[in-house]
Amino acid sequence: MSSTSAPAAAARRTDLAHWVIRVAGAIYVLGIALLAAAVYVELPGFLSAYGDPEAWWPILVQVLAGGTAFLTWVRVNRRTNRPFAVVLLGLGILTVVALAIPSYSACPDEKLSAGWSVITRVVGLITNNYAIDQFNPETTSCDIGGVPLALQFARLAQLLVLLVAFTSAVTALLRTQVDRVRVRWSPRLSLVLGADTTSASLLPALAADAGRHTLAVVTNDPLAPWVGQARAAGWRVVVTDPRRVETMDRLLGRPGRRHALSRLAVLASDSTESQRLMTVVQTATDGRRAVPGNHPVRALIRMDEAWQAEDWRRRYLDRIPDWIVDTISENEVTARLLVDHMVERGVDQVLLAGQSDLTFAVVAELAQRGREHELDPSRPAMAGVTIVGESADQVLEEHVLSQRRFGNSRLDRVRAETRLELDEVVASAVDEYVAPALVFSGDVSVADQRLAARLGATHPGLLVYSRHAEVIGLGADPLMAQVRAFGTTLDAGTGRPVDSWERIARLVHEKYVRDYPDPDDPARRPWNELAPFYRESNVRQVLTVLGSAVAVGRSWGASGRTASPPSPEQLDEMARREHESWLTHLHRNDWTWGSTRDRQARKHPDLLPWDALSDESRDKTRKGVLETLALLETLGYRSIDDPYSTWVRFRRRGEVRAVRRNEPWTWTTSDGTVMHANAGDWEVIDDDGSTRSISPSIFERTHESVDGDRWRRTGEIRGRRARPGEVVHSLEGTQTARPGQWVLRGVEGEEWLVPAEHLETAYDRIDDPSVV
């Protein structure tokens, strides 16, 4: 494989396309000039055909040259907000005018003003009045040998103008229906659900990263203010209810029990709504195979609560390799932008004033930079952090709890300051540190903005970040001194959403290059120079290790337990899965077996089944898995044997009473948690009088009518023992697990908690009870 980077290859393709546009466009313009000139003079040699009314090839050349130039231009700008139809109409009208004027001027109407008669004829041609009577020698004195070829081509251009105008008008009137049809028949879809005004800024970045997929945004509000922005970024808008499984099944399903989904972004600002939409899509695709080229599905879920985002990333690791799920948080992205700017300025101490999710996100991002420094000492070390304010101790406690849940114990560089005023803390930091920074990370406050300006003016060497509601991201220029305005954003400014797994894969690759340098090996080039094939393989390796650990009964979730190495049996199975993943990746990129490795010819001696590999090759794969596990542990991903990770099957049993309610309502779980039901949900009452809510689509798939309000519970579910303290995001609200509870996963991927007593009375175990 070539070591050329993806941006360089894309730039070469773009340059080639621009040359095609220039050359084809020049041929078209030259042809127009020749057609116009041939009305009056006889051109030499083969060019005389441009003046022959019966010639065919000059018109064919014009059609091919003009079509090639325009279609290539459309291809280059397909992801931009260009008025393609308007441009085509303008070019068509210019062509008609440029050829009709000399054609009609050669034979003006007799006994009429020559100038006005020509103008009248040209305007008539544009409006579909193709007048050629003056070129008939039997009725007029003008005889130039027939209808000029220039006018014939002008007529063709005029018909194209009418066709484009008509189709544009029809498309504008039926745009929603046209979008639905295009999306319904596309083999590859990039789908966005839950978009709103705050997440609309992500749509251009998601479009740029979508390749050749059809871009589709699903909404039930066609008049939402962000819809125009979505269309401008190249997205087709499908107006329907994204919460209905039947709707998404029709949209995503393809013949042969396949689905067209390749990429998914769930951008709802409410985490419960994000989960609901995610489970609807997963239900619509369950039991269907991906269209070739669409596997695996890459999904991005918006999770603005920064402390929950990491939990959600790990939550979906058991869906690998069918699903690769990442999360994006408004606070995480904003924190990353701020920390990147601090790193560029060499900040060695960070003061955080204010308590909010952003405060937590900034501390978490700085802690992650510290772990990355441990892995790569060439990266900047973590700056010290002081959280200032009355609630600073609480923020620090939450940070320590979160970090320790994932096995990160080095927390000595973060401290809380509750006794001193902010002015005193700032003055001390300016005296003690070379490049201190102050971030007003609380909610937007006019008082904080004034304080930021005063401290910036008082301490010119202090870098100050002042939060403003009207600012998105980080302001380009200081407000004064070193005071910069910033606001929360989902746009990382990198051209596409930041991929957490790619961030880890890059660190793993860079360590591999440091440990085993070989500048001549295209697989060991710096990340920015790495060919897409090798980048994808690095990400694949990280995700495969994450997924295979879950498959053998290990966990990456929150736990206070110390990390443990995999058993020999677990390691062997993880290595086998890694080899199979690597084998599939190479086969998809046209690699074949060869007695020796040849990157140019795409040959490799290990392209064999696991059992056919040599002991040396299998040991090498096992070593790679262990090294990746060690690197992931340094970055905060600990793999442990997890008795709570094994899912088993249950069958519902028994009867219940159920009534569908038309208004929102609340109910209380057995542990006292208040849950929220939506209008239209079913209220289900067990024989003991306890009540709960079930969404209509789930209820219809899991209950069958007996008589009146009596319903029989049907179908199968999966369940596992809940880790005490783990958070489960059910459709009705958030639940925290208590000892002895179980996590159940339903037919649409929804999860909820139940006591062990309820499990015994309402479900029959299908799997061997000795499994757990």
Side-chain angles (χ1 to χ4, degrees), residues 263-471:
R263 290 177 180 263
L264 172 68
V266 182
L267 304 179
S269 57
D270 178 75
S271 61
T272 302
E273 179 68 5
S274 290
Q275 184 189 16
R276 185 187 299 271
L277 294 173
M278 183 72 179
T279 54
V280 166
V281 173
Q282 288 179 326
T283 302
T285 56
D286 278 349
R288 294 181 180 271
R289 295 172 297 160
V291 171
N294 287 357
H295 185 272
V297 177
R298 298 297 297 264
L300 183 70
I301 303 177
R302 178 178 176 182
M303 180 57 56
D304 283 342
E305 294 85 353
W307 63 274
Q308 293 183 0
E310 190 61 49
D311 275 327
W312 274 59
R313 286 190 190 100
R314 299 172 190 237
R315 173 182 182 179
Y316 284 96
L317 291 178
D318 65 336
R319 304 297 178 95
I320 296 171
D322 296 321
W323 288 77
I324 296 174
V325 179
D326 195 5
T327 61
I328 188 169
S329 159
E330 194 172 50
N331 290 308
E332 279 188 330
V333 172
T334 305
R336 192 169 299 174
L337 288 175
L338 293 174
V339 173
D340 282 342
H341 192 262
M342 294 180 203
V343 170
E344 292 175 2
R345 299 301 188 277
V347 169
D348 55 356
Q349 180 68 16
V350 180
L351 311 178
L352 296 177
Q355 285 75 49
S356 69
D357 282 340
L358 179 61
T359 308
F360 181 87
V362 171
V363 180
E365 177 63 24
L366 287 166
Q368 181 65 20
R369 299 296 176 101
R371 291 189 288 273
E372 292 176 0
H373 172 73
E374 290 183 37
L375 187 62
D376 180 3
S378 67
R379 290 174 173 263
M382 174 186 174
V385 183
T386 301
I387 307 167
V388 186
E390 294 180 358
S391 304
D393 284 334
Q394 180 181 350
V395 176
L396 180 58
E397 182 181 349
E398 290 179 358
H399 170 70
V400 171
L401 175 63
S402 171
Q403 295 297 310
R404 284 181 175 163
R405 288 173 71 229
F406 297 117
N408 305 317
S409 58
R410 296 178 178 86
L411 305 168
D412 54 306
R413 302 214 65 188
V414 184
R415 68 183 188 90
E417 178 55 72
T418 58
R419 296 178 296 104
L420 299 178
E421 295 295 328
L422 181 60
D423 292 68
E424 299 176 273
V425 177
V426 168
S428 176
V430 170
D431 290 339
E432 184 176 353
Y433 297 99
V434 176
L438 169 63
V439 181
F440 284 88
S441 55
D443 296 329
V444 175
S445 164
V446 175
D448 283 347
Q449 292 168 6
R450 291 174 178 169
L451 181 57
R454 178 172 64 80
L455 291 173
T458 305
H459 307 282
L462 178 69
L463 186 59
V464 182
Y465 299 92
S466 176
R467 192 167 183 177
H468 290 247
E470 68 277 10
V471 177

Side-chain angles (χ1 to χ4, degrees), residues 672-691:
T673 304
V674 177
M675 311 300 282
H676 298 272
N678 297 314
D681 286 352
W682 286 80
E683 181 180 12
V684 177
I685 303 98
D686 293 321
D687 290 340
D688 62 1
S690 60
T691 184

Side-chain angles (χ1 to χ4, degrees), residues 365-684:
E365 177 63 24
L366 287 166
Q368 181 65 20
R369 299 296 176 101
R371 291 189 288 273
E372 292 176 0
H373 172 73
E374 290 183 37
L375 187 62
D376 180 3
S378 67
R379 290 174 173 263
M382 174 186 174
V385 183
T386 301
I387 307 167
V388 186
E390 294 180 358
S391 304
D393 284 334
Q394 180 181 350
V395 176
L396 180 58
E397 182 181 349
E398 290 179 358
H399 170 70
V400 171
L401 175 63
S402 171
Q403 295 297 310
R404 284 181 175 163
R405 288 173 71 229
F406 297 117
N408 305 317
S409 58
R410 296 178 178 86
L411 305 168
D412 54 306
R413 302 214 65 188
V414 184
R415 68 183 188 90
E417 178 55 72
T418 58
R419 296 178 296 104
L420 299 178
E421 295 295 328
L422 181 60
D423 292 68
E424 299 176 273
V425 177
V426 168
S428 176
V430 170
D431 290 339
E432 184 176 353
Y433 297 99
V434 176
L438 169 63
V439 181
F440 284 88
S441 55
D443 296 329
V444 175
S445 164
V446 175
D448 283 347
Q449 292 168 6
R450 291 174 178 169
L451 181 57
R454 178 172 64 80
L455 291 173
T458 305
H459 307 282
L462 178 69
L463 186 59
V464 182
Y465 299 92
S466 176
R467 192 167 183 177
H468 290 247
E470 68 277 10
V471 177
I472 298 176
L474 184 61
D477 300 308
L479 299 176
M480 58 172 291
Q482 291 197 77
V483 180
R484 289 182 177 268
F486 79 94
T488 54
T489 181
L490 283 169
D491 185 1
T494 59
R496 64 190 179 98
V498 174
D499 190 318
S500 300
W501 308 127
E502 184 175 309
R503 181 178 182 179
I504 293 175
R506 177 172 184 164
L507 291 164
V508 172
H509 170 75
E510 289 173 348
K511 186 174 190 308
Y512 173 73
V513 172
R514 288 194 306 274
D515 292 344
Y516 308 100
D518 184 357
D520 295 328
D521 186 346
R524 305 184 204 188
R525 303 291 299 163
W527 185 264
N528 291 333
E529 300 176 14
L530 206 59
F533 169 77
Y534 295 113
R535 285 196 191 189
E536 292 166 7
S537 188
N538 277 284
V539 176
R540 175 207 59 75
Q541 182 182 14
V542 168
L543 289 168
T544 300
V545 170
L546 290 166
S548 62
V550 175
V552 299
R554 302 179 68 79
S555 172
W556 301 97
S559 172
R561 298 173 56 196
T562 304
S564 60
S567 68
E569 294 76 18
Q570 289 176 329
L571 178 59
D572 198 63
E573 177 63 16
M574 292 176 68
R576 184 185 65 79
R577 288 172 176 264
E578 159 58 23
H579 177 73
E580 290 176 351
S581 172
W582 174 83
L583 203 65
T584 301
H585 179 65
L586 265 66
H587 281 155
R588 284 178 178 169
N589 286 272
D590 302 322
W591 282 64
T592 56
W593 181 88
S595 57
T596 59
R597 186 172 66 179
D598 186 337
R599 297 190 188 279
Q600 295 300 322
R602 301 185 187 183
K603 301 285 186 181
H604 202 291
D606 287 344
L607 282 170
L608 297 168
W610 174 254
D611 293 334
L613 284 178
S614 65
D615 291 340
E616 180 183 0
S617 295
R618 285 199 291 266
D619 287 341
K620 180 180 177 182
T621 305
R622 295 187 187 97
K623 180 182 178 183
V625 170
L626 289 173
E627 288 178 346
T628 303
L629 286 172
L631 293 173
L632 287 169
E633 182 177 350
T634 302
L635 294 172
Y637 283 77
R638 294 177 306 144
S639 171
I640 59 174
D641 271 319
D642 189 0
Y644 302 103
S645 67
T646 303
W647 291 86
V648 293
R649 294 162 56 218
F650 294 93
R651 182 181 292 111
R652 291 181 172 87
R653 73 164 184 262
E655 294 183 5
V656 295
R657 290 189 299 115
V659 179
R660 192 166 186 179
R661 300 184 59 166
N662 297 321
E663 72 285 340
W665 50 288
T666 61
W667 54 279
T668 305
T669 65
S670 59
D671 61 7
T673 304
V674 177
M675 311 300 282
H676 298 272
N678 297 314
D681 286 352
W682 286 80
E683 181 180 12
V684 177

